Amino acid sequence: MSITTNIEEIQNELKPIGVTLVAISKTKPLEDIQEAYDAGQRIFGENLVQDMVDKYEQLPKDIQWHMVGHLQTNKVKYIAPFIAMIESVDSLKVLKEINKQATKNNRVIDCLLQIFIADEDTKFGLDHVELIELLESEEFATLENIRIRGLMGIATNTDNEKVIKEEFYELKMLFDGIKVSYFRKEDSFDTLSMGMSSDYKIAIEQGSNMIRLGSTLFGKRVIKHFKAK
Ligand SMILES: *Cc1c(COP(=O)(O)O)cnc(C)c1O
Protein backbone atom coordinates (compact mmCIF):
# COMPACT_ATOMS: atom_id res chain seq x y z
CA MET A 1 0.00 0.00 0.00
CA SER A 2 1.09 3.57 -0.64
CA ILE A 3 1.92 6.18 1.98
CA THR A 4 -1.05 8.20 0.72
CA THR A 5 -3.47 5.31 1.28
CA ASN A 6 -1.96 4.51 4.66
CA ILE A 7 -2.35 8.11 5.85
CA GLU A 8 -5.90 8.39 4.55
CA GLU A 9 -7.04 5.11 6.09
CA ILE A 10 -5.55 5.75 9.49
CA GLN A 11 -6.78 9.37 9.57
CA ASN A 12 -10.30 8.15 8.76
CA GLU A 13 -10.02 5.89 11.78
CA LEU A 14 -8.57 8.52 14.12
CA LYS A 15 -10.36 11.75 13.28
CA PRO A 16 -13.85 10.64 14.47
CA ILE A 17 -12.42 9.59 17.84
CA GLY A 18 -10.26 12.69 18.33
CA VAL A 19 -6.87 10.97 18.32
CA THR A 20 -3.96 12.96 16.86
CA LEU A 21 -1.54 11.24 14.50
CA VAL A 22 2.17 12.01 14.66
CA ALA A 23 3.82 10.55 11.54
CA ILE A 24 7.24 9.34 12.65
CA SER A 25 9.42 10.04 9.64
CA LYS A 26 12.84 9.23 11.15
CA THR A 27 15.29 7.81 8.57
CA LYS A 28 12.74 8.43 5.79
CA PRO A 29 13.59 10.56 2.75
CA LEU A 30 12.04 13.92 1.88
CA GLU A 31 9.90 12.38 -0.90
CA ASP A 32 8.12 10.11 1.57
CA ILE A 33 7.38 12.99 3.92
CA GLN A 34 6.19 15.15 1.03
CA GLU A 35 3.83 12.36 -0.05
CA ALA A 36 2.36 12.15 3.45
CA TYR A 37 2.10 15.94 3.51
CA ASP A 38 0.25 15.94 0.19
CA ALA A 39 -2.16 13.41 1.68
CA GLY A 40 -2.97 16.00 4.36
CA GLN A 41 -0.61 14.99 7.18
CA ARG A 42 0.90 17.98 9.01
CA ILE A 43 2.46 16.59 12.20
CA PHE A 44 5.75 14.73 11.84
CA GLY A 45 8.12 13.31 14.44
CA GLU A 46 11.88 12.80 14.36
CA ASN A 47 14.28 11.47 16.98
CA LEU A 48 17.53 13.14 15.87
CA VAL A 49 18.11 16.89 15.99
CA GLN A 50 20.29 17.13 12.88
CA ASP A 51 17.87 15.14 10.72
CA MET A 52 14.97 17.26 11.91
CA VAL A 53 16.77 20.50 11.13
CA ASP A 54 17.71 19.28 7.63
CA LYS A 55 14.14 18.23 6.92
CA TYR A 56 12.67 21.39 8.42
CA GLU A 57 14.78 23.48 6.04
CA GLN A 58 13.75 21.55 2.94
CA LEU A 59 10.06 20.85 3.53
CA PRO A 60 6.91 23.03 3.76
CA LYS A 61 7.02 25.46 6.66
CA ASP A 62 3.55 24.64 7.99
CA ILE A 63 4.71 21.18 9.12
CA GLN A 64 4.50 20.82 12.90
CA TRP A 65 7.64 19.02 14.02
CA HIS A 66 7.64 16.88 17.17
CA MET A 67 10.87 15.75 18.80
CA VAL A 68 10.41 12.20 20.11
CA GLY A 69 14.00 11.16 20.85
CA HIS A 70 16.23 11.76 23.85
CA LEU A 71 17.38 15.38 23.66
CA GLN A 72 20.83 16.53 24.75
CA THR A 73 20.84 19.98 26.31
CA ASN A 74 23.51 21.31 23.94
CA LYS A 75 21.27 20.59 20.93
CA VAL A 76 18.07 22.28 22.09
CA LYS A 77 19.14 25.56 20.48
CA TYR A 78 19.00 24.12 16.96
CA ILE A 79 15.31 23.21 17.12
CA ALA A 80 14.06 25.95 19.48
CA PRO A 81 13.18 28.42 16.68
CA PHE A 82 10.65 26.13 15.01
CA ILE A 83 9.80 23.03 17.07
CA ALA A 84 6.06 22.52 17.66
CA MET A 85 6.35 20.05 20.53
CA ILE A 86 9.08 18.25 22.45
CA GLU A 87 7.54 14.94 23.53
CA SER A 88 10.65 13.53 25.14
CA VAL A 89 11.42 15.82 28.09
CA ASP A 90 13.04 13.54 30.66
CA SER A 91 14.77 15.88 33.13
CA LEU A 92 14.48 19.29 34.77
CA LYS A 93 17.87 20.07 33.26
CA VAL A 94 16.67 19.74 29.69
CA LEU A 95 13.42 21.53 30.51
CA LYS A 96 15.41 24.51 31.85
CA GLU A 97 17.44 24.61 28.65
CA ILE A 98 14.26 24.44 26.53
CA ASN A 99 12.89 27.35 28.55
CA LYS A 100 16.10 29.33 28.03
CA GLN A 101 16.16 28.77 24.28
CA ALA A 102 12.42 29.42 23.97
CA THR A 103 12.94 32.74 25.76
CA LYS A 104 15.75 33.66 23.36
CA ASN A 105 13.41 32.95 20.47
CA ASN A 106 10.63 34.89 22.13
CA ARG A 107 8.23 31.96 22.15
CA VAL A 108 6.63 29.32 24.38
CA ILE A 109 7.48 25.71 23.55
CA ASP A 110 4.95 22.92 24.13
CA CYS A 111 6.39 19.91 25.95
CA LEU A 112 5.37 16.45 27.12
CA LEU A 113 7.07 14.81 30.05
CA GLN A 114 8.29 11.37 29.04
CA ILE A 115 7.45 8.74 31.64
CA PHE A 116 9.32 5.47 31.94
CA ILE A 117 6.67 2.73 31.84
CA ALA A 118 8.45 -0.17 30.15
CA ASP A 119 9.77 -3.32 31.70
CA GLU A 120 13.24 -2.64 30.24
CA ASP A 121 16.14 -0.56 31.45
CA THR A 122 17.19 0.76 28.07
CA LYS A 123 14.60 3.47 27.62
CA PHE A 124 14.60 7.09 28.74
CA GLY A 125 11.97 8.70 30.90
CA LEU A 126 11.10 9.91 34.37
CA ASP A 127 9.83 7.50 37.00
CA HIS A 128 6.95 8.56 39.26
CA VAL A 129 9.17 9.93 42.01
CA GLU A 130 11.26 11.97 39.57
CA LEU A 131 8.10 13.31 37.94
CA ILE A 132 6.71 14.57 41.26
CA GLU A 133 10.09 16.03 42.23
CA LEU A 134 10.23 17.93 38.95
CA LEU A 135 6.68 19.27 39.22
CA GLU A 136 7.18 20.38 42.82
CA SER A 137 10.59 21.96 42.36
CA GLU A 138 10.92 25.71 42.85
CA GLU A 139 12.80 26.01 39.60
CA PHE A 140 10.00 24.41 37.61
CA ALA A 141 7.60 27.06 38.89
CA THR A 142 9.79 29.82 37.40
CA LEU A 143 9.85 28.47 33.83
CA GLU A 144 7.61 30.76 31.81
CA ASN A 145 8.50 29.87 28.24
CA ILE A 146 7.55 26.21 28.33
CA ARG A 147 4.06 24.80 28.50
CA ILE A 148 3.53 21.25 29.75
CA ARG A 149 0.86 19.74 27.51
CA GLY A 150 0.84 16.24 29.00
CA LEU A 151 2.72 12.96 29.20
CA MET A 152 4.37 10.54 26.76
CA GLY A 153 5.35 6.92 27.23
CA ILE A 154 6.75 3.95 25.31
CA ALA A 155 5.53 0.47 26.25
CA THR A 156 7.71 -2.62 26.47
CA ASN A 157 8.57 -4.11 23.10
CA THR A 158 6.76 -7.44 23.57
CA ASP A 159 4.04 -9.60 21.99
CA ASN A 160 2.42 -9.93 25.40
CA GLU A 161 -0.64 -7.71 25.07
CA LYS A 162 -1.43 -7.96 28.76
CA VAL A 163 1.88 -6.35 29.68
CA ILE A 164 1.38 -3.54 27.15
CA LYS A 165 -2.17 -2.97 28.32
CA GLU A 166 -1.08 -2.70 31.96
CA GLU A 167 1.68 -0.22 31.12
CA PHE A 168 -0.70 2.01 29.16
CA TYR A 169 -3.32 1.73 31.90
CA GLU A 170 -0.75 2.82 34.45
CA LEU A 171 0.25 5.82 32.33
CA LYS A 172 -3.37 6.88 31.86
CA MET A 173 -3.95 6.71 35.62
CA LEU A 174 -0.83 8.78 36.20
CA PHE A 175 -1.96 11.31 33.58
CA ASP A 176 -5.37 11.70 35.26
CA GLY A 177 -3.81 12.01 38.71
CA ILE A 178 -1.23 14.57 37.61
CA LYS A 179 -3.87 16.61 35.84
CA VAL A 180 -6.01 16.83 38.97
CA SER A 181 -3.08 17.51 41.30
CA TYR A 182 -0.97 19.92 39.27
CA PHE A 183 -2.82 21.17 36.18
CA ARG A 184 -6.42 21.39 37.32
CA LYS A 185 -6.78 24.93 36.04
CA GLU A 186 -4.85 24.45 32.85
CA ASP A 187 -6.96 23.25 29.93
CA SER A 188 -3.81 22.96 27.87
CA PHE A 189 -2.69 19.90 29.87
CA ASP A 190 -4.63 17.68 27.51
CA THR A 191 -2.25 15.32 25.68
CA LEU A 192 -1.44 11.70 26.39
CA SER A 193 0.97 10.44 23.74
CA MET A 194 1.11 6.66 23.80
CA GLY A 195 0.99 4.00 21.10
CA MET A 196 3.26 3.09 18.17
CA SER A 197 2.69 0.86 15.11
CA SER A 198 2.63 -2.40 17.05
CA ASP A 199 0.49 -1.29 19.98
CA TYR A 200 -1.55 1.79 19.06
CA LYS A 201 -4.89 -0.01 19.16
CA ILE A 202 -4.30 -1.06 22.76
CA ALA A 203 -3.09 2.47 23.56
CA ILE A 204 -6.28 4.05 22.21
CA GLU A 205 -8.42 1.59 24.21
CA GLN A 206 -6.52 2.69 27.29
CA GLY A 207 -7.14 6.38 26.68
CA SER A 208 -4.38 7.67 24.42
CA ASN A 209 -5.19 10.76 22.37
CA MET A 210 -1.92 11.02 20.43
CA ILE A 211 -0.26 8.13 18.64
CA ARG A 212 3.15 8.01 16.97
CA LEU A 213 3.27 5.81 13.88
CA GLY A 214 6.33 5.13 11.74
CA SER A 215 6.45 1.77 9.99
CA THR A 216 2.66 1.45 9.65
CA LEU A 217 2.69 4.56 7.47
CA PHE A 218 6.06 4.52 5.74
CA GLY A 219 7.04 0.85 5.75
CA LYS A 220 9.93 -0.76 7.60
CA ARG A 221 13.00 1.33 8.38
CA VAL A 222 15.89 -0.20 6.47
CA ILE A 223 18.52 2.49 6.99
CA LYS A 224 19.61 4.03 10.26
CA HIS A 225 20.12 7.62 9.21
CA PHE A 226 18.56 10.10 6.90
CA LYS A 227 21.17 11.52 4.49
CA ALA A 228 20.82 15.18 3.77
CA LYS A 229 21.85 16.30 0.31
C1 LIG B 1 10.43 5.21 16.11
C2 LIG B 1 9.47 5.72 17.13
C3 LIG B 1 8.09 5.55 16.96
C4 LIG B 1 7.46 4.85 15.78
O1 LIG B 1 7.77 3.49 15.75
P1 LIG B 1 6.99 2.47 14.77
O2 LIG B 1 7.09 1.18 15.47
O3 LIG B 1 7.73 2.51 13.48
O4 LIG B 1 5.60 2.97 14.63
C5 LIG B 1 7.25 6.07 17.94
N1 LIG B 1 7.73 6.71 19.01
C6 LIG B 1 9.06 6.89 19.21
C7 LIG B 1 9.52 7.60 20.43
C8 LIG B 1 9.97 6.39 18.28
O5 LIG B 1 11.28 6.58 18.49
Side-chain angles (χ1 to χ4, degrees):
M1 279 212 294
S2 71
I3 293 169
T4 305
T5 323
N6 294 342
I7 295 276
E8 284 170 357
E9 286 192 351
I10 193 91
Q11 283 290 19
N12 286 340
E13 224 179 287
L14 299 180
K15 278 190 177 144
I17 55 173
V19 174
T20 300
L21 173 64
V22 183
I24 303 295
S25 51
K26 62 190 185 194
T27 78
K28 297 297 174 183
L30 300 176
E31 304 79 64
D32 288 10
I33 303 173
Q34 185 67 51
E35 184 179 340
Y37 178 91
D38 293 338
Q41 182 63 28
R42 289 295 179 271
I43 308 178
F44 291 88
E46 292 280 331
N47 64 340
L48 298 174
V49 166
Q50 190 57 57
D51 289 0
M52 181 184 281
V53 170
D54 288 340
K55 289 174 177 181
Y56 163 74
E57 284 169 355
Q58 300 182 67
L59 286 161
K61 290 296 174 287
D62 62 338
I63 287 180
Q64 298 162 44
W65 292 100
H66 284 209
M67 173 50 64
V68 299
H70 177 67
L71 189 54
Q72 288 169 276
T73 46
N74 61 353
K75 295 197 173 157
V76 174
K77 57 179 177 285
Y78 302 115
I79 58 171
F82 67 88
I83 191 80
M85 183 181 275
I86 300 176
E87 296 198 23
S88 45
V89 174
D90 58 5
S91 69
L92 179 60
K93 185 168 167 243
V94 79
L95 198 56
K96 280 162 56 186
E97 180 63 17
I98 295 166
N99 185 69
K100 183 174 151 195
Q101 297 301 332
T103 308
K104 271 193 189 166
N105 285 277
N106 199 18
R107 60 189 298 248
V108 173
I109 295 181
D110 280 349
C111 295
L112 301 181
L113 298 172
Q114 182 175 349
I115 309 302
F116 178 82
I117 53 169
D119 180 24
E120 296 166 13
D121 50 20
T122 49
K123 283 177 182 144
F124 293 103
L126 301 156
D127 64 27
H128 293 203
V129 175
E130 290 165 340
L131 173 65
I132 303 300
E133 271 173 15
L134 187 156
L135 293 172
E136 297 202 341
S137 68
E138 278 172 32
E139 277 183 299
F140 174 70
T142 68
L143 306 179
E144 294 194 334
N145 290 66
I146 52 105
R147 182 166 69 157
I148 303 295
R149 295 289 309 273
L151 306 180
M152 184 273 255
I154 304 172
T156 301
N157 183 9
T158 171
D159 293 333
N160 188 336
E161 292 198 359
K162 187 165 171 283
V163 169
I164 297 170
K165 191 174 161 178
E166 280 168 6
E167 290 171 356
F168 286 150
Y169 176 82
E170 185 195 336
L171 185 55
K172 174 67 161 79
M173 289 301 115
L174 184 64
F175 175 83
D176 291 344
I178 293 293
K179 182 163 178 60
V180 169
S181 308
Y182 297 94
F183 297 94
R184 194 197 303 264
K185 295 194 189 101
E186 282 150 76
D187 291 341
S188 54
F189 188 90
D190 61 1
T191 305
L192 179 56
S193 173
M194 59 184 197
M196 318 191 353
S197 291
S198 59
D199 56 22
Y200 77 91
K201 293 202 163 115
I202 306 173
I204 292 171
E205 276 168 20
Q206 295 306 316
S208 167
N209 61 15
M210 179 174 279
I211 61 171
R212 309 177 308 272
L213 302 186
S215 41
T216 292
L217 304 176
F218 297 108
K220 271 205 186 116
R221 287 178 292 275
V222 285
I223 50 159
K224 290 240 160 57
H225 290 280
F226 165 75
K227 292 277 183 296
K229 280 201 274 308

